[in-house]
Amino acid sequence: MSGTNAASGAAPCRFAHYFVICGIDTETGLEPDELAGENFEQSPLKRTFKSKVLAHYPENVEWNPFDQDAVNMLCMPKGLSFRTQADSREPQFHSFLITREDGSRTYGFVHTFYEEVTSPQICSAMQTLYQMHQAENPSSATPSSSSSSSSSMDSLASSLDEADSPSSSSCRSAACGGYDASRDTLYVSKALCLITPMPFMHACRRFLSQVHRAVAAAAPPPLPLESYVHNILYEVPLPPPGRSLKFHGVYEPIVCQRPGPGELPLADFPLGQTFTLLGVENLVQLFNCTLLEMQILLYSQDYQRLMTVAEGITTLLFPFQWQHVYVPILPASLLHFLDAPVPYLMGLQSKEGTDRSKLELPQEANLCFVDIDNHCIELPEDFPQFPNKPELIQELSEVLLRYGISPVGGAPPTSVPTSTTTPGSVSTRHPGLKSQQALRELEDDGRNGNLGGEQLAVLDLLQGNATLERLQALAKRTGVRVEALRGVGGEGEAQGGRTAVEEEELRNAKLNVQLREVFASRFTTMFADYEAFVIQSAPDLESWLTNREQMHNFDKASFLSDQPEPYLPFLSHFIETQMFATFIDNKIMSQWEEKEPLLRVFDGRINKARLYNVRAPSLRSSNYQRCTILKESAQAIEQRLLKIDHTAIHPHLLDMKIGQGKYEQGFFPKLQSDVLSVGPTNNKWSNRTATAQRRKDRHRQQTEHLTLDNDLKEKYMQEARSLGKNLRQPKLSDLSPAVIAQTNWKFVEGLLKECRMKTKRMLVEKMGREAVELGHGEANITGLEENTLIASLCDLLERIWSHGLQVKQGKSALWSHLLHYQAREEKLEQQQQQAESPVSNGPERRKSESSIGMPSLRASVIQDMRHIQSMGAIKTDVGRARAWIRLSLEKKLLSQHLKQLLSRQALTKKLYKRYAFLRCEEEKEQFLFHLLSLNTVDYFCFTSVFTTIMIPYRAVIIPIKKLSNAMTTSNPWVCVSGELGDSGVRQITKNVLEMTFDCQNLGKLTTVQLGHDNSGLLAKWLVDCVMVRNEITGHTYKFPCGRWLGKGVDDGSLERVLIGELALPNADEDCGRGCRTPDMQHSPGQTRRSSITSMGGRGYKPTSAQIQEAIGEAVNIICKHFHKPEKERGSLTILLCGEVGLVGALEQFFHNGFKSARLFQKTVFVWDFVEKAVAYMESADQMGDMQETAEPLGLTCVSLCHYVSAINSSPRNIGKDGKFQLLVCLGARDRLLIQWLPLLVECPVIQRMYEESALLRDRTTVNALIAVLQTLHDFPITLEASLVKGIDL
């Protein structure tokens, strides 16, 4: 690390660090490249041979050590390429980058050309190989010859030079292909490469092509080549920020410019080409996948296209940065790296003629596959869309159209395709017009990046100008040169006499910056307020780095609650990514360290936006805000390129030995290394850096004698700083098995760490919500956030299961493993029908339920798979795997199921390589342990997502056996209701008391209506409770009853509405579910409830203070319920009629001081009091006593009488307590309760039926009760159908 820091003064000053030449080493001769996958069936001309770095200057640069293997591999990713005189030998250009450990990047720019092979040994070796090949494959001689140009192993089989002229192919077949040393000239590829700290792609491309021109030209260059190489290595500085620089190539000057401190960072790869290759729609989808950190694989025959798209897409992420594996060009020897179980962005060269379907990728569940040459992308299943996508596409399209680029991108051609590799979209605005053809050809070329600057200018001009189109077609026929047209548009030389190439570069630079500004302005709008949610909790950098893992750095919940609704699905995923976490880390560290450059620019923009637009509420809206600075950003670049700020020293003669490095046309000379190994000493900017360097060194020596503790501290802080930073690029230099194993080990550790973080995050989110019931600001997004976290857990499991696969089968590695397991288990099952699954502890798990009559449900991986397989709505393997994970999570069996799956070690060994995560015993155990921690919270992630599937339910009615009234002669029925619907009335077979039925998912269950038809002699029935179980998820609900059903017993009810709650599997698990949502509270309410009801009122009687507290609590819970967003609320029925519900609390209030027990045990109910009071009011009304009362009171009286008679005349056989419950629910719904209470209190009947001390006879208490109930008027209370069935108001 010290190297990079120490040299930071000097590093930014040199334009290029190295000049490299790669090619064939005549000493070692032809070495086959085993790593690239040798194919001996191919003609020797098409095989892969090892290239070498022949020379690099200087020997080493302190701050950027030369990595020979990596540079060689990336300069010639497919090794050497051979051609004969019959083949096309067009030079090619491509770029690459190397990412260092600390995430910094070095860029390489490569010009590859073909040089004649002069070594007789190599020619004869090739001849021998060819004869051997012919002897082994006699039939292949002729065909291979005819296609030798389209060599699949071609070092840069660019799609551009494949359309060879017919004449060349005829001459090839005449030559009978192959290679004959006596007749053919052999050529081999050679690469010239510049390695630079910044991506000045256009400048490097022009410099290298001028150097090659000097080699190929008939006349020698003005100066020896050493002069130009020395000049660019030592005498050309980097342009300072915000300035432009001119330096000299061999023949022409070259200009480059660098953005200023407040502008978007340098990006020189032509974004317009990226949009042309993919089209706007596809590019925005790819951008979205990149933001959500999916695995992204780019696929093209052309290396430069891979690099252009990769750099283009990462450039658009500003102010965020891609934090994971980034290898835009993946050399053939590193294909095993596609196995990486982490997000990656990689580029793979497609062999010509190979089909996408033949490409075996280890994992596709979360893969975005980008086929650049065919202009199409394959997206992963089901991910949130980027906010305001249609408006963004519209704005980008307008920018592209201003530059004459079609936003559709390379759509498939409507006429005959021009060539197999580059189907461009063909414009068909006026089909049939001949003049259109020329424009079409131009458009195609423009789309494929084959147009020079002036032709692009012509294309701009032509689109939409009929006269010019005809002119252009005419010009083409008569052979007039295109320049003649340039004056028409008024462009021409008026623009300060710039050349066509400069014109194109300026155009590219302006288009680049405008497209990037559109994306940057989206983030400026979306994250305008992000600083308000950054949590700055540490006093200093050291303590922050030490506790980095445990710290909560960003208030995600509050941030999301402040965003417009349509943005939430995307933002809730995005703020969980590594790139967002790193962005926030950089923000926090900027208190103590210099701001990271991208962050500095971004913060500057946000502050500027604030100045101009005083934070209006407009930012909360999801209205699309267009970018307002497109013009200024393009002008800044144009001004820099028009007015050159700096000019570098001209190349000059060096102090060289005479007679060395003889010039020979077509051959790159051997350069004199002594003059290129050191730079000049009298250079003003190198002096400047030298003094800075000396100052740095002095400072370093002073600090070095500080104590050892400081060194350790620094090392510790460095480690902490790199936490969360992942492996960015595979080691290209050393491909020994040990290094590959180490890389895999890093992946295993990374996966385990990610699992720990994800499960912890899920627990904190869930428990936090259950504890902070009202969750100020947090409750707004919990459902969404929970879904996001579960989706990312599914993605992690897929990545773990696809790490180290032997053979890939299907798109989901997890589901494929499950299917293997299922096949094996079913075979065993047939062999031994009765065998129990060894890990399954199903019977013990359900002990408590089985003791009260519910048969146990065996925990079985296979059974859960069968449930998923029977769901017709899920069509893909990835979907099935996700559904299975959700189901296992809801059943609290995820860890157990996966343990069971992995316990079949023979199967795991068969499916996975030794280094796979699933075969690392210790890590696997820890991983299962982290998943086990999720059992402490309740998820309904299966039930709430698959709402339309059919689910089998089992209902069991449990009578109170000790009273021996378990047998009844009547015909019982049951109707189960849940949040999503009800089952309808289901008849139960007499005396069986158990049934199963299938119906559409009811969601969380809320009520059961239980009744019978009162037939036969033993029609009375004492029921303890009803248990209902969802047979797929295993959720069991208990609906307590503890009452009689029958005429003339208890309150005479033949039908009861029972309120349910989720039954806990057993006492051991209680502790794990300590904090629960109120909809399923289990409390001591059961005893309290039976004491209130008519079962004698024995035992515990609550005090008046407890009763008032219970009412307050019940009303409070209902208020909290309505403060949650609708999707989060759960069941209101439980809050009204459940054990701690409003009805129960009011029942206690009415029971207080009630004279219920009568002589001979004839019990009186609260409903009797209500009926008597109503009868009194009605008779008083008839006698005219009510005439004097105020009008509203009279109306209230009428409403109470009306409701009571409607309840009494209902066709349902509900008992007196059920009627009272119904009256309270209807009164709460229609906001009448507080009007009815004074009527009941005033009624003289109260004196007969209540003692003096009763709460109902205490005016103050009643007024307090009315005030509490008044708060419910703010909320729209709706009642479940099962409660109000048959009531006609």
Side-chain angles (χ1 to χ4, degrees):
M1 278 305 296
S2 63
T4 51
N5 290 341
S8 56
C13 285
R14 285 203 357 206
F15 182 85
H17 289 171
Y18 295 100
F19 180 79
V20 187
I21 303 147
C22 295
I24 190 164
D25 184 354
T26 45
E27 305 292 313
T28 55
L30 288 181
E31 279 187 273
D33 191 352
E34 301 88 10
L35 285 168
E38 194 46 66
N39 182 358
F40 290 105
E41 288 167 19
Q42 285 182 320
S43 148
L45 283 175
K46 294 187 187 180
R47 288 184 202 159
T48 313
F49 296 97
K50 278 186 187 168
S51 60
K52 290 269 169 72
V53 171
L54 304 178
H56 67 277
Y57 312 103
E59 196 56 41
N60 206 26
V61 175
E62 184 198 350
W63 59 83
N64 182 9
F66 188 72
D67 186 341
Q68 184 148 323
D69 296 314
V71 172
N72 178 37
M73 206 180 269
L74 291 164
C75 279
M76 295 190 145
K78 287 258 171 121
L80 297 169
S81 163
F82 285 93
R83 300 277 172 100
T84 65
Q85 78 286 349
D87 300 321
S88 151
R89 298 189 306 284
E90 279 298 301
Q92 299 295 340
F93 172 82
H94 79 277
S95 332
F96 63 82
L97 64 80
I98 295 175
T99 313
R100 288 197 286 270
E101 294 272 311
D102 62 348
S104 58
R105 291 173 181 174
T106 305
Y107 291 83
F109 301 97
V110 187
H111 182 94
T112 309
F113 62 99
Y114 286 87
E115 197 174 72
E116 191 181 327
V117 177
T118 50
S119 154
Q121 292 92 334
I122 285 171
C123 292
S124 64
M126 184 57 82
Q127 171 91 50
T128 313
L129 282 173
Y130 190 75
Q131 286 164 348
M132 284 163 64
H133 172 73
Q134 230 170 344
E136 285 165 25
N137 308 296
S139 60
S140 69
T142 321
S144 72
S145 66
S146 63
S147 65
S148 61
S149 89
S150 49
S151 146
S152 72
M153 175 239 98
D154 167 7
S155 135
L156 288 156
S158 163
S159 43
L160 309 182
D161 64 86
E162 294 304 339
D164 262 321
S165 62
S167 60
S168 65
S169 63
S170 62
C171 96
R172 224 173 296 149
S173 49
C176 244
Y179 171 66
D180 180 347
S182 60
R183 185 187 60 217
D184 294 325
T185 314
L186 188 64
Y187 293 88
V188 68
S189 53
K190 181 171 260 186
L192 307 177
C193 170
L194 268 183
I195 290 180
T196 66
M198 295 183 83
F200 288 108
M201 196 268 298
H202 286 99
C204 294
R205 184 176 195 158
R206 287 177 64 190
F207 177 81
L208 291 170
S209 73
Q210 288 185 38
V211 170
H212 177 231
R213 245 167 75 200
V215 173
L223 292 169
L225 287 180
E226 282 88 344
S227 296
Y228 302 105
V229 174
H230 181 274
N231 179 253
I232 198 157
L233 284 179
Y234 301 109
E235 293 168 336
V236 176
L238 279 176
R243 299 298 176 90
S244 53
L245 168 81
K246 179 159 120 185
F247 65 93
H248 291 267
V250 183
Y251 300 109
E252 292 129 30
I254 296 165
V255 176
C256 59
Q257 59 87 31
R258 186 171 163 191
E263 297 173 57
L264 295 176
L266 175 71
D268 206 26
F269 288 86
L271 260 180
Q273 193 187 341
T274 307
F275 277 88
T276 303
L277 287 166
L278 294 177
V280 182
E281 175 94 31
N282 281 346
L283 194 121
V284 171
Q285 288 286 44
L286 170 59
F287 170 69
N288 194 5
C289 292
T290 313
L291 283 171
L292 299 176
E293 297 189 334
M294 297 177 176
Q295 292 178 323
I296 293 164
L297 184 62
L298 310 175
Y299 194 60
S300 169
Q301 285 200 24
D302 185 342
Y303 291 123
Q304 185 57 14
R305 283 184 175 185
L306 293 173
M307 190 70 183
T308 302
V309 173
E311 280 292 284
I313 210 73
T314 49
T315 298
L316 296 176
L317 298 175
F318 168 89
F320 307 102
Q321 288 165 293
W322 180 256
Q323 296 295 322
H324 300 277
V325 175
Y326 182 58
V327 190
I329 297 174
L330 189 67
S333 51
L334 284 180
L335 284 184
H336 64 272
F337 220 76
L338 289 171
D339 194 13
V342 290
Y344 59 65
L345 202 168
M346 301 203 225
L348 187 62
Q349 195 212 21
S350 55
K351 289 193 173 72
E352 195 207 347
T354 51
D355 192 6
R356 149 79 177 106
S357 57
K358 295 200 179 71
L359 192 64
E360 276 296 317
L361 299 169
Q363 45 199 343
E364 293 182 55
N366 206 36
L367 180 74
C368 173
F369 182 83
V370 185
D371 188 341
I372 298 173
D373 300 338
N374 293 317
H375 320 289
C376 63
I377 64 177
E378 292 169 26
L379 295 166
E381 284 178 34
D382 154 58
F383 61 94
Q385 292 300 317
F386 191 72
N388 298 115
K389 187 175 128 195
E391 293 92 336
L392 174 63
I393 288 175
Q394 175 65 31
E395 186 175 5
L396 291 167
S397 304
E398 287 169 22
V399 173
L400 290 167
L401 285 167
R402 280 203 287 277
Y403 287 84
I405 292 175
S406 157
V408 182
T414 46
S415 63
V416 183
T418 46
S419 86
T420 49
T421 47
T422 58
S425 88
V426 176
S427 160
T428 48
R429 272 171 287 202
H430 314 286
L433 285 180
K434 191 149 190 189
S435 64
Q436 250 337 84
Q437 193 53 41
L439 174 61
R440 243 178 250 165
E441 287 172 12
L442 265 176
E443 277 192 335
D444 268 1
D445 278 349
R447 186 162 296 115
N448 295 322
N450 294 357
L451 284 194
E454 91 257 48
Q455 288 166 299
L456 276 165
V458 170
L459 177 60
D460 285 0
L461 221 83
L462 288 183
Q463 284 173 324
N465 187 328
T467 323
L468 286 175
E469 285 168 14
R470 286 199 290 278
L471 240 169
Q472 162 72 356
L474 181 71
K476 195 148 189 176
R477 280 205 300 282
T478 53
V480 176
R481 300 235 1 235
V482 174
E483 276 86 332
L485 280 171
R486 292 192 59 176
V488 188
E491 293 266 71
E493 295 299 310
Q495 295 271 8
R498 287 200 294 275
T499 65
V501 179
E502 286 169 343
E503 203 52 67
E504 185 194 0
E505 277 180 25
L506 172 61
R507 187 176 163 283
N508 271 339
K510 284 160 71 173
L511 174 59
N512 262 19
V513 78
Q514 292 197 346
L515 289 169
R516 292 169 66 202
E517 286 292 359
V518 172
F519 283 93
S521 98
R522 296 305 313 122
F523 287 126
T524 314
T525 313
M526 274 155 68
F527 292 97
D529 273 349
Y530 85 96
E531 283 185 66
F533 304 98
V534 175
I535 300 169
Q536 308 269 17
S537 49
D540 55 64
L541 179 61
E542 191 183 341
S543 67
W544 183 78
L545 288 171
T546 315
N547 303 308
R548 166 74 196 86
E549 289 259 87
Q550 286 76 43
M551 288 218 174
H552 198 51
N553 291 336
F554 190 72
D555 186 351
K556 294 175 180 172
S558 304
F559 171 75
L560 289 176
S561 68
D562 206 36
Q563 302 309 310
E565 185 76 28
Y567 290 11
L568 293 180
F570 170 80
L571 285 174
S572 63
H573 274 72
F574 178 65
I575 60 175
E576 297 294 336
T577 59
Q578 183 67 51
M579 72 174 84
F580 185 76
T582 306
F583 173 75
I584 297 299
D585 285 355
N586 287 337
K587 177 69 185 170
I588 291 173
M589 277 157 60
S590 68
Q591 307 172 79
W592 306 292
E593 294 186 339
E594 197 184 340
K595 250 190 196 173
E596 196 269 332
L598 293 185
L599 180 68
R600 193 179 58 236
V601 177
F602 188 65
D603 282 355
R605 288 173 170 230
I606 287 178
N607 295 336
K608 195 171 168 188
R610 274 205 198 118
L611 279 176
Y612 286 134
N613 119 43
V614 180
R615 289 275 290 114
S618 69
L619 264 138
R620 263 263 355 178
S621 83
S622 57
N623 293 342
Y624 187 81
Q625 297 179 2
R626 296 174 79 92
C627 180
T628 52
I629 54 167
L630 293 180
K631 253 208 179 87
E632 298 91 63
S633 56
Q635 279 167 355
I637 285 185
E638 189 159 16
Q639 281 161 2
R640 272 202 294 275
L641 287 174
L642 288 177
K643 183 185 125 304
I644 303 300
D645 297 305
H646 301 279
T647 305
I649 299 169
H650 281 247
H652 50 85
L653 271 171
L654 301 169
D655 184 11
M656 286 165 55
K657 300 189 182 73
I658 310 277
Q660 285 191 3
K662 189 162 64 65
Y663 175 79
E664 196 176 337
Q665 185 183 357
F667 292 93
F668 195 84
K670 187 176 189 311
L671 301 179
Q672 292 189 24
S673 55
D674 47 355
V675 293
L676 293 179
S677 56
V678 286
T681 50
N682 59 348
N683 196 335
K684 64 174 187 288
W685 58 265
S686 66
N687 282 345
R688 195 166 67 236
T689 58
T691 49
Q693 189 59 47
R694 275 200 299 279
R695 203 162 42 244
K696 278 218 151 104
D697 288 348
R698 240 196 339 273
H699 179 67
R700 199 170 64 228
Q701 283 160 7
Q702 281 166 7
T703 50
E704 263 170 12
H705 69 262
L706 290 171
T707 57
L708 180 69
D709 298 353
N710 254 4
D711 286 352
L712 284 172
K713 186 171 87 179
E714 183 55 41
K715 177 171 173 278
Y716 183 62
M717 285 167 76
Q718 207 53 61
E719 279 171 8
R721 202 180 256 114
S722 64
L723 262 177
K725 292 272 189 288
N726 304 313
L727 191 71
R728 304 297 181 86
Q729 182 168 359
K731 262 212 163 6
L732 301 176
S733 43
D734 177 7
L735 286 175
S736 64
V739 167
I740 291 175
Q742 188 193 353
T743 304
N744 273 307
W745 184 243
K746 274 190 178 166
F747 284 146
V748 168
E749 285 184 320
L751 286 170
L752 185 61
K753 179 180 164 189
E754 196 180 339
C755 180
R756 186 180 77 239
M757 302 293 275
K758 277 202 164 71
T759 48
K760 181 177 165 186
R761 175 98 178 76
M762 285 170 78
L763 286 174
V764 167
E765 189 271 337
K766 191 85 176 157
M767 287 177 159
R769 176 168 28 137
E770 292 182 343
V772 189
E773 248 329 301
L774 183 48
H776 307 278
E778 169 160 49
N780 287 5
I781 44 96
T782 43
L784 183 84
E785 192 166 8
E786 179 176 304
N787 220 12
T788 303
L789 294 173
I790 290 169
S792 81
L793 177 72
C794 293
D795 160 43
L796 172 67
L797 292 181
E798 277 294 0
R799 283 191 280 125
I800 286 176
W801 254 257
S802 52
H803 181 234
L805 266 179
Q806 297 274 18
V807 183
K808 178 180 164 281
Q809 296 161 326
K811 281 202 168 188
S812 164
L814 174 58
W815 190 250
S816 165
H817 191 170
L818 283 165
L819 289 173
H820 279 287
Y821 174 82
Q822 187 181 24
R824 200 168 271 214
E825 290 299 300
E826 283 173 351
K827 200 186 260 176
L828 286 172
E829 221 171 88
Q830 286 161 7
Q831 291 166 6
Q832 42 184 56
Q833 285 292 321
Q834 306 312 312
E836 269 292 323
S837 113
V839 181
S840 164
N841 54 1
E844 301 93 288
R845 196 164 175 263
R846 307 281 174 188
K847 207 178 286 170
S848 65
E849 294 155 20
S850 50
S851 66
I852 49 169
M854 183 68 87
S856 70
L857 191 67
R858 197 163 72 93
S860 146
V861 178
I862 305 288
Q863 196 51 50
D864 287 350
M865 283 185 70
R866 288 178 187 147
H867 288 314
I868 303 297
Q869 284 160 331
S870 66
M871 288 164 60
I874 306 176
K875 304 279 188 262
T876 64
D877 284 356
V878 174
R880 287 184 193 103
R882 286 181 178 170
W884 184 85
I885 293 168
R886 282 175 176 277
L887 177 57
S888 305
L889 191 57
E890 184 163 325
K891 292 177 83 164
K892 307 196 174 194
L893 290 173
L894 183 59
S895 180
Q896 185 182 322
H897 275 355
L898 293 177
K899 186 175 183 178
Q900 175 66 21
L901 178 66
L902 296 170
S903 66
R904 299 280 178 266
Q905 290 186 339
L907 178 61
T908 313
K909 276 183 182 161
K910 182 181 136 192
L911 296 176
Y912 289 92
K913 297 175 182 149
R914 180 66 203 91
Y915 64 76
F917 182 93
L918 298 177
R919 288 187 62 187
C920 300
E921 286 308 313
E922 199 178 317
E923 282 65 30
K924 186 175 77 184
E925 283 304 313
Q926 288 185 48
F927 155 72
L928 291 171
F929 178 73
H930 291 315
L931 289 182
L932 187 63
S933 66
L934 295 176
N935 289 6
T936 54
V937 289
D938 296 322
Y939 282 104
F940 287 87
C941 49
F942 180 85
T943 311
S944 59
V945 169
F946 301 101
T947 51
T948 55
I949 58 170
M950 295 300 285
I951 289 187
Y953 290 93
R954 177 187 295 268
V956 179
I957 295 158
I958 299 167
I960 294 183
K961 295 199 174 64
K962 59 174 186 266
L963 295 163
S964 71
N965 270 67
M967 311 300 276
T968 174
T969 55
S970 56
N971 300 300
W973 57 267
V974 70
C975 172
V976 182
S977 304
E979 289 176 0
L980 301 174
D982 69 58
S983 66
V985 170
R986 307 269 172 170
Q987 294 295 333
I988 303 177
T989 318
K990 232 183 269 188
N991 298 328
V992 174
L993 304 187
E994 182 177 330
M995 67 179 299
T996 51
F997 57 89
D998 286 2
C999 74
Q1000 191 169 313
N1001 187 353
L1002 299 174
K1004 291 182 190 170
L1005 302 187
T1006 52
T1007 62
V1008 159
Q1009 296 161 64
L1010 176 68
H1012 64 78
D1013 62 359
N1014 203 37
S1015 59
L1017 294 170
L1018 288 173
K1020 299 181 183 66
W1021 195 23
L1022 183 57
V1023 175
D1024 179 44
C1025 65
V1026 177
M1027 307 287 288
V1028 181
R1029 182 170 68 204
N1030 176 326
E1031 293 291 272
I1032 291 184
T1033 64
H1035 282 313
T1036 306
Y1037 293 83
K1038 183 177 181 181
F1039 298 87
C1041 177
R1043 304 285 294 267
W1044 286 93
L1045 280 91
K1047 283 277 182 242
V1049 63
D1050 201 336
D1051 63 349
S1053 178
L1054 291 185
E1055 166 186 339
R1056 292 194 186 279
V1057 178
L1058 309 178
I1059 311 299
E1061 56 180 36
L1062 195 61
L1064 298 179
N1066 56 35
D1068 303 342
E1069 282 185 43
D1070 267 20
C1071 53
R1073 310 189 185 199
C1075 33
R1076 305 178 47 78
T1077 38
D1079 2 72
M1080 289 167 266
Q1081 241 147 2
H1082 66 122
S1083 62
Q1086 182 65 49
T1087 51
R1088 174 176 40 188
R1089 180 158 178 172
S1090 53
S1091 76
I1092 303 155
T1093 54
S1094 52
M1095 287 186 68
R1098 289 185 300 276
Y1100 163 73
K1101 274 214 164 89
T1103 64
S1104 54
Q1106 285 172 328
I1107 292 171
Q1108 290 178 62
E1109 191 184 331
I1111 292 173
E1113 189 55 37
V1115 170
N1116 197 11
I1117 290 176
I1118 293 172
C1119 295
K1120 284 181 179 180
H1121 168 89
F1122 283 103
H1123 274 98
K1124 292 182 184 178
E1126 220 165 310
K1127 293 173 192 150
E1128 303 296 320
R1129 286 179 185 167
S1131 166
L1132 183 60
T1133 310
I1134 292 172
L1135 306 188
L1136 287 169
C1137 311
E1139 292 189 22
V1140 288
L1142 182 65
V1143 173
L1146 283 174
E1147 244 175 36
Q1148 289 180 7
F1149 191 89
F1150 275 87
H1151 264 282
N1152 183 274
F1154 186 56
K1155 303 172 181 173
S1156 60
R1158 290 287 183 275
L1159 218 49
F1160 313 118
Q1161 293 299 302
K1162 170 82 175 91
T1163 313
V1164 183
F1165 292 84
V1166 172
W1167 185 251
D1168 292 326
F1169 162 63
V1170 175
E1171 280 186 322
K1172 282 197 169 70
V1174 167
Y1176 169 78
M1177 289 172 206
E1178 283 172 339
S1179 63
D1181 191 20
Q1182 283 157 11
M1183 288 165 65
D1185 288 2
M1186 302 290 280
Q1187 295 308 316
E1188 301 85 65
T1189 55
E1191 189 60 34
L1193 199 57
L1195 286 175
T1196 308
C1197 187
V1198 170
S1199 75
L1200 178 59
C1201 298
H1202 174 55
Y1203 274 68
V1204 170
S1205 72
I1207 291 171
N1208 273 331
S1209 56
S1210 141
R1212 293 169 68 181
N1213 289 306
I1214 48 178
K1216 290 178 178 178
D1217 280 349
K1219 288 174 179 176
F1220 180 76
Q1221 171 172 298
L1222 199 47
L1223 185 69
V1224 172
C1225 291
L1226 291 169
R1229 181 190 73 183
D1230 301 337
R1231 301 176 182 163
L1232 293 169
L1233 271 183
I1234 61 171
Q1235 297 171 21
W1236 292 342
L1237 269 170
L1239 284 179
L1240 294 171
V1241 173
E1242 298 297 325
C1243 182
V1245 179
I1246 195 167
Q1247 289 155 14
R1248 285 207 309 277
M1249 301 190 74
Y1250 278 88
E1251 290 159 9
E1252 189 71 44
S1253 60
L1255 286 174
L1256 202 56
R1257 291 181 66 176
D1258 178 355
R1259 272 302 165 80
T1260 324
T1261 314
V1262 172
N1263 289 339
L1265 172 63
I1266 290 172
V1268 169
L1269 294 175
Q1270 176 85 46
T1271 55
L1272 295 179
H1273 286 202
D1274 300 340
F1275 308 114
I1277 290 176
T1278 49
L1279 300 179
E1280 210 174 289
S1282 60
L1283 291 176
V1284 294
K1285 197 157 54 177
I1287 303 295
D1288 179 20
L1289 290 168

